[in-house]
Amino acid sequence: MIILLLIFLIAFFIGASLASFAGCVAWRFANNVPQTIPRSFCENCRHALCFWQLIPVVGYLLQGGRCAFCKHKIPGHETLIEIVFGLFCGKIFLLHPDSPNLLTLFLSAWLLFLAWTDALKFCVPAASLYGGGAVLLLCHIDALAQRNAIDWCFLLLLFCLMKLFEQKQMFGAADTFVCLILSVLFGIQNFCFLLFLSCCLIILHYAFFHQKMLPFIPFILCSYLFFGCFFPQVINV
């Protein structure tokens, strides 16, 4: 039990750190700030952060949810995302402590970064989008070769439908690409479960907030995390 707890804590820290890094990179992309310089700073007072303030979850708690310099409130949703992603990664490592699925971790981090940038700016970096997708496809080239003709026909139909939605400005090119990657990796049936839940979440969001223009990738991410926690066989890549 002690070893499993240690594995979980390490995995949690890795997941929370990935979420923190993804949030930082996404914010810099959305606000046209260089990715390398300056070092991490408070978004309000621009004061450079100390190392302990950068520790995922812990830094937020030690500061009481406010910047230690200007006392500006730190957005709580960022820490919540770190916790959720940390728990998700902890479960991945607990399911297979001897050989955790690192590709699933990569896929999760890729989706998280794309979702964050999509939520902030309604667009994603092309290099991250297509580069990450290419890595995932290359790593699963053997599984792709085993897909039958019916699967590929459904994929072609899905692609045509999404392109139609793009023309109607109901979908973005990045949304289409992410959906195609996930449908190839998970299979049509499992992807349909993912897509159905994502659409339900969008409907619920619209019912409560009446926001007409919504980024789609964050809802895909939420559905992915849900199935990963409660029905891992759906996203077992």
Side-chain angles (χ1 to χ4, degrees):
M1 289 297 295
I2 296 178
I3 295 178
L4 288 178
L5 178 60
L6 183 60
I7 292 175
F8 177 81
L9 290 177
I10 294 174
F12 177 88
F13 180 76
I14 292 174
S17 298
L18 285 174
S20 178
F21 178 74
C24 176
V25 174
W27 185 89
R28 286 174 179 257
F29 170 76
N31 292 274
N32 298 316
V33 177
Q35 296 293 345
T36 54
I37 54 174
R39 56 178 291 185
S40 297
F41 54 85
C42 171
E43 297 175 8
N44 184 60
C45 66
R46 302 285 169 159
H47 195 290
L49 300 179
C50 302
F51 77 93
W52 60 269
Q53 294 172 288
L54 298 174
I55 302 175
V57 184
V58 176
Y60 178 86
L61 296 176
L62 291 177
Q63 295 179 93
R66 294 184 179 274
C67 174
F69 305 108
C70 65
K71 305 304 178 183
H72 183 75
K73 187 175 181 180
I74 302 173
H77 69 271
E78 297 179 1
T79 301
L80 179 61
I81 293 174
E82 292 173 1
I83 294 174
V84 171
F85 204 72
L87 293 174
F88 177 79
C89 291
K91 182 167 185 179
I92 290 177
F93 278 76
L94 283 181
L95 288 175
H96 306 284
D98 297 328
S99 57
N101 195 335
L102 297 181
L103 282 176
T104 300
L105 187 62
F106 176 82
L107 170 62
S108 306
W110 180 66
L111 283 177
L112 176 63
F113 172 69
L114 295 180
W116 214 317
T117 54
D118 194 22
L120 290 176
K121 203 173 181 179
F122 285 94
C123 67
V124 299
S128 301
L129 176 68
Y130 297 116
V135 169
L136 290 168
L137 290 179
L138 288 174
C139 290
H140 294 88
I141 193 69
D142 293 337
L144 299 182
Q146 298 176 5
R147 302 288 187 193
N148 56 43
I150 296 178
D151 284 343
W152 290 112
C153 288
F154 273 111
L155 283 172
L156 179 60
L157 177 61
L158 178 65
F159 176 76
C160 293
L161 288 175
M162 290 184 174
K163 281 299 180 182
L164 178 62
F165 289 151
E166 280 186 41
Q167 293 179 357
K168 300 293 183 179
Q169 296 184 343
M170 299 171 62
F171 231 54
D175 302 327
T176 298
F177 184 79
V178 169
C179 287
L180 287 176
I181 291 294
L182 296 182
S183 60
V184 170
L185 296 180
F186 302 155
I188 293 296
Q189 181 177 0
N190 289 338
F191 173 72
C192 287
F193 292 141
L194 198 70
L195 185 62
F196 176 76
L197 181 57
S198 302
C199 293
C200 290
L201 293 175
I202 288 179
I203 293 172
L204 287 174
H205 187 281
Y206 179 78
F208 282 100
F209 300 102
H210 302 288
Q211 183 179 348
K212 293 184 177 180
M213 188 175 180
L214 292 171
F216 187 66
I217 301 180
F219 293 97
I220 285 285
L221 174 66
C222 291
S223 301
Y224 170 83
L225 294 175
F226 171 82
F227 281 110
C229 290
F230 301 103
F231 304 97
Q233 66 274 13
V234 173
I235 64 164
N236 184 19
V237 298

